[in-house]
Amino acid sequence: MVRWICVLVLSLTLAVPAGAEMRVPESRVEISMGFVPVVKEAAPAVVNIYARRVVNTRSSPFRGDPFFDEFFRDFSGARPRVENSLGSGVILSADGIVVSNYHVVGMATDIRVVLNDRREFEARVLLSDEESDLAILKLEGAEGMPALELRDSDTVEVGELVLAIGNPFGVGQTVTSGIVSGLARSGAATGNARGYFIQTDAPINPGNSGGALVDIEGRLVGINTRILSRSGGSNGIGFAIPAALVAQFVAQAEAGNTAFERPWAGISGQPVTADMAEGMGLNVPGGIIISQLHPASPFAAAGFQAGDVITAVDGQAVNAAPEMIYRMSVAGIGGETRVTRVRDGAAEDVVLRLGAAPEVPPRDVTETGARSVIPGMTVGNINPAVIAELDLPLMAEGVVVLEPGRAGLRAGLRQGDILRGINGAAVEVPGMVEPMLEASGRWLSLDVQRGTQRSTLRFRL
């Protein structure tokens, strides 16, 4: 009995090339090879990335002081400093399209990519997105590159064997093995990345970022992005961005986009809890209950109402807003998605046409002049596109600070602040801001909304 159990376990860990038939290993040589065939297939397409950027930093004797740092931050001279980052990437096409993490190559001025066979290429960023923590690169002068096949990540199941390939700690290309230990992890990763992640217990360490998570047929199922750790090392919980989203990034990069465009939902809501489920006619808690809809939302156009529950998108269950946005992002702008709605206990599938957040009304961007009380401040109308970009309240209206400028920052203004009034008069359009500032006497009063909080800033001129 023990012998047959051992044979079964070994048969599961034996890697096979794409298209090959899974079978019990027939010899000691086959058993000893382990994951060798899949590593030989996948490793040449995983690259090391060395990125560099120059940033201007200010040195101050009060740096870090909770009181004086705020007042003296603009008085010290800016000094250029070189920041280096080390990570991994995956080649996806023979002509040198590479995917990596935004936190590896974002804002880099110099990117060098080193292949498994030690060839080196300069690279440039085609498209990047901080929120998704993905970036698409193009190797200069590359042709005939080894590339990985993308697998439909919706077919990945918990318990599948996977390999993580990357360059941890800069020691060189390294392969670790494990299983898929969780799916639909939203909000679990650290940093700026938000959305839906594949969780794995394959050891992932600093430097693995941007590397490949592959199945036992050598197909890419995800891009390693983060670890959950208190010590900074792998504790058995790593996160990968699914290949389905990577495919959408590649499609937009090849279409000429330089920034990732995700469909706009135009709704707000909250997860359905166990206490709420019974009153909504749900057998089990799950889904998102809609609390607000913007008038321009595609959900509003499809007949959704506040109180409706969204339980699935394209047949995949959703229990949090990041999961829903992920599903919509995979479908892409201009595509259609099938949303399962529950209203009064009855479930119904509704087809939505997806699009970007509309630029209506026009932004009408205006910048204050050099002689203004607050020079160099840029303001504009609030529209759905601005709401999405600046993460404003869904139903926000009015005039928003797009860039406060140095004087605006010193005055306490921040990007995303909504200007409700100047010296007691309501601000209705961007063009009113500069004349109202010029009309200030000895005092300036700004009525500002930040998020859901309102406050008044007063200054003596």
Short mmCIF file of all heavy atoms in Angstrom, two decimals, residues 290-316:
data_model
loop_
_atom_site.label_atom_id
_atom_site.label_comp_id
_atom_site.label_asym_id
_atom_site.label_seq_id
_atom_site.Cartn_x
_atom_site.Cartn_y
_atom_site.Cartn_z
N ILE A 290 -25.37 47.30 -4.10
CA ILE A 290 -25.15 48.64 -4.64
C ILE A 290 -25.79 49.67 -3.73
O ILE A 290 -26.97 49.56 -3.38
CB ILE A 290 -25.72 48.76 -6.06
CG1 ILE A 290 -25.04 47.77 -7.00
CG2 ILE A 290 -25.57 50.18 -6.58
CD1 ILE A 290 -25.64 47.74 -8.39
N SER A 291 -25.00 50.68 -3.35
CA SER A 291 -25.54 51.76 -2.52
C SER A 291 -25.74 53.04 -3.33
O SER A 291 -26.66 53.81 -3.05
CB SER A 291 -24.61 52.05 -1.33
OG SER A 291 -23.30 52.35 -1.77
N GLN A 292 -24.90 53.28 -4.34
CA GLN A 292 -25.01 54.47 -5.18
C GLN A 292 -24.67 54.13 -6.62
O GLN A 292 -23.82 53.27 -6.87
CB GLN A 292 -24.07 55.59 -4.71
CG GLN A 292 -24.50 56.33 -3.47
CD GLN A 292 -23.56 57.49 -3.16
OE1 GLN A 292 -22.34 57.36 -3.27
NE2 GLN A 292 -24.11 58.63 -2.79
N LEU A 293 -25.31 54.83 -7.57
CA LEU A 293 -24.97 54.73 -8.98
C LEU A 293 -24.83 56.13 -9.54
O LEU A 293 -25.70 56.98 -9.35
CB LEU A 293 -26.04 53.99 -9.79
CG LEU A 293 -26.32 52.53 -9.50
CD1 LEU A 293 -27.42 52.40 -8.45
CD2 LEU A 293 -26.73 51.80 -10.78
N HIS A 294 -23.73 56.38 -10.23
CA HIS A 294 -23.57 57.65 -10.94
C HIS A 294 -24.51 57.64 -12.15
O HIS A 294 -24.69 56.59 -12.78
CB HIS A 294 -22.12 57.81 -11.39
CG HIS A 294 -21.79 59.18 -11.86
ND1 HIS A 294 -22.14 59.65 -13.11
CD2 HIS A 294 -21.12 60.21 -11.24
CE1 HIS A 294 -21.70 60.89 -13.25
NE2 HIS A 294 -21.08 61.25 -12.13
N PRO A 295 -25.12 58.78 -12.47
CA PRO A 295 -26.05 58.80 -13.62
C PRO A 295 -25.43 58.32 -14.92
O PRO A 295 -26.14 57.79 -15.79
CB PRO A 295 -26.45 60.28 -13.71
CG PRO A 295 -26.25 60.81 -12.33
CD PRO A 295 -25.08 60.06 -11.76
N ALA A 296 -24.10 58.50 -15.10
CA ALA A 296 -23.44 58.08 -16.34
C ALA A 296 -22.91 56.65 -16.27
O ALA A 296 -22.28 56.19 -17.21
CB ALA A 296 -22.30 59.04 -16.66
N SER A 297 -23.17 55.95 -15.18
CA SER A 297 -22.65 54.59 -15.01
C SER A 297 -23.27 53.62 -16.01
O SER A 297 -24.46 53.68 -16.30
CB SER A 297 -22.97 54.11 -13.58
OG SER A 297 -22.82 52.71 -13.47
N PRO A 298 -22.46 52.67 -16.54
CA PRO A 298 -23.02 51.64 -17.42
C PRO A 298 -24.01 50.74 -16.68
O PRO A 298 -24.92 50.19 -17.30
CB PRO A 298 -21.79 50.85 -17.88
CG PRO A 298 -20.74 51.13 -16.86
CD PRO A 298 -21.00 52.51 -16.37
N PHE A 299 -23.87 50.62 -15.36
CA PHE A 299 -24.84 49.85 -14.59
C PHE A 299 -26.19 50.56 -14.56
O PHE A 299 -27.24 49.93 -14.67
CB PHE A 299 -24.33 49.63 -13.16
CG PHE A 299 -23.25 48.60 -13.04
CD1 PHE A 299 -21.92 48.94 -13.22
CD2 PHE A 299 -23.56 47.28 -12.76
CE1 PHE A 299 -20.92 47.99 -13.12
CE2 PHE A 299 -22.56 46.31 -12.65
CZ PHE A 299 -21.25 46.68 -12.84
N ALA A 300 -26.17 51.90 -14.42
CA ALA A 300 -27.42 52.66 -14.45
C ALA A 300 -28.07 52.54 -15.82
O ALA A 300 -29.30 52.38 -15.93
CB ALA A 300 -27.15 54.13 -14.11
N ALA A 301 -27.25 52.59 -16.89
CA ALA A 301 -27.80 52.46 -18.24
C ALA A 301 -28.42 51.09 -18.48
O ALA A 301 -29.35 50.96 -19.29
CB ALA A 301 -26.69 52.71 -19.27
N ALA A 302 -27.94 50.06 -17.76
CA ALA A 302 -28.47 48.70 -17.92
C ALA A 302 -29.64 48.42 -16.99
O ALA A 302 -30.15 47.29 -16.97
CB ALA A 302 -27.37 47.68 -17.68
N GLY A 303 -30.07 49.42 -16.22
CA GLY A 303 -31.26 49.25 -15.40
C GLY A 303 -31.00 48.85 -13.96
O GLY A 303 -31.94 48.54 -13.23
N PHE A 304 -29.74 48.87 -13.52
CA PHE A 304 -29.46 48.54 -12.12
C PHE A 304 -29.94 49.66 -11.21
O PHE A 304 -30.02 50.83 -11.62
CB PHE A 304 -27.96 48.32 -11.90
CG PHE A 304 -27.46 46.97 -12.37
CD1 PHE A 304 -27.32 46.70 -13.72
CD2 PHE A 304 -27.15 45.98 -11.45
CE1 PHE A 304 -26.86 45.46 -14.15
CE2 PHE A 304 -26.69 44.75 -11.87
CZ PHE A 304 -26.55 44.48 -13.21
N GLN A 305 -30.25 49.30 -9.97
CA GLN A 305 -30.73 50.25 -8.99
C GLN A 305 -30.01 50.05 -7.66
O GLN A 305 -29.44 48.98 -7.41
CB GLN A 305 -32.24 50.08 -8.76
CG GLN A 305 -33.10 50.22 -9.99
CD GLN A 305 -34.55 49.84 -9.72
OE1 GLN A 305 -34.92 49.53 -8.58
NE2 GLN A 305 -35.37 49.87 -10.76
N ALA A 306 -30.04 51.08 -6.81
CA ALA A 306 -29.52 50.93 -5.47
C ALA A 306 -30.30 49.83 -4.76
O ALA A 306 -31.53 49.78 -4.84
CB ALA A 306 -29.63 52.24 -4.70
N GLY A 307 -29.60 48.95 -4.07
CA GLY A 307 -30.24 47.81 -3.41
C GLY A 307 -30.09 46.52 -4.16
O GLY A 307 -30.27 45.44 -3.59
N ASP A 308 -29.76 46.59 -5.46
CA ASP A 308 -29.48 45.37 -6.23
C ASP A 308 -28.18 44.74 -5.73
O ASP A 308 -27.27 45.43 -5.27
CB ASP A 308 -29.34 45.68 -7.72
CG ASP A 308 -30.66 46.03 -8.38
OD1 ASP A 308 -31.71 45.77 -7.76
OD2 ASP A 308 -30.65 46.56 -9.50
N VAL A 309 -28.10 43.41 -5.84
CA VAL A 309 -26.90 42.68 -5.42
C VAL A 309 -26.23 42.07 -6.64
O VAL A 309 -26.87 41.38 -7.44
CB VAL A 309 -27.24 41.58 -4.40
CG1 VAL A 309 -25.98 40.80 -4.02
CG2 VAL A 309 -27.88 42.17 -3.15
N ILE A 310 -24.94 42.37 -6.81
CA ILE A 310 -24.14 41.77 -7.88
C ILE A 310 -23.45 40.54 -7.30
O ILE A 310 -22.66 40.65 -6.37
CB ILE A 310 -23.09 42.76 -8.41
CG1 ILE A 310 -23.78 44.00 -8.99
CG2 ILE A 310 -22.20 42.11 -9.46
CD1 ILE A 310 -22.83 45.14 -9.30
N THR A 311 -23.76 39.37 -7.83
CA THR A 311 -23.19 38.13 -7.29
C THR A 311 -22.12 37.51 -8.18
O THR A 311 -21.30 36.72 -7.70
CB THR A 311 -24.29 37.09 -7.06
OG1 THR A 311 -24.97 36.83 -8.30
CG2 THR A 311 -25.30 37.60 -6.03
N ALA A 312 -22.12 37.83 -9.49
CA ALA A 312 -21.13 37.23 -10.39
C ALA A 312 -20.92 38.11 -11.61
O ALA A 312 -21.82 38.87 -12.01
CB ALA A 312 -21.58 35.83 -10.83
N VAL A 313 -19.73 38.02 -12.19
CA VAL A 313 -19.41 38.68 -13.45
C VAL A 313 -18.84 37.63 -14.39
O VAL A 313 -17.86 36.94 -14.04
CB VAL A 313 -18.40 39.82 -13.24
CG1 VAL A 313 -18.01 40.44 -14.58
CG2 VAL A 313 -18.98 40.89 -12.32
N ASP A 314 -19.48 37.45 -15.53
CA ASP A 314 -19.07 36.43 -16.50
C ASP A 314 -19.00 35.04 -15.87
O ASP A 314 -18.09 34.25 -16.13
CB ASP A 314 -17.73 36.79 -17.16
CG ASP A 314 -17.86 37.97 -18.10
OD1 ASP A 314 -18.95 38.13 -18.69
OD2 ASP A 314 -16.89 38.73 -18.25
N GLY A 315 -19.96 34.77 -15.00
CA GLY A 315 -20.06 33.46 -14.38
C GLY A 315 -19.13 33.23 -13.22
O GLY A 315 -19.16 32.16 -12.60
N GLN A 316 -18.28 34.21 -12.88
CA GLN A 316 -17.34 34.09 -11.77
C GLN A 316 -17.85 34.89 -10.58
O GLN A 316 -18.17 36.08 -10.71
CB GLN A 316 -15.95 34.60 -12.18
CG GLN A 316 -15.34 33.89 -13.37
CD GLN A 316 -14.92 32.46 -13.04
OE1 GLN A 316 -14.62 32.13 -11.89
NE2 GLN A 316 -14.90 31.60 -14.06
#
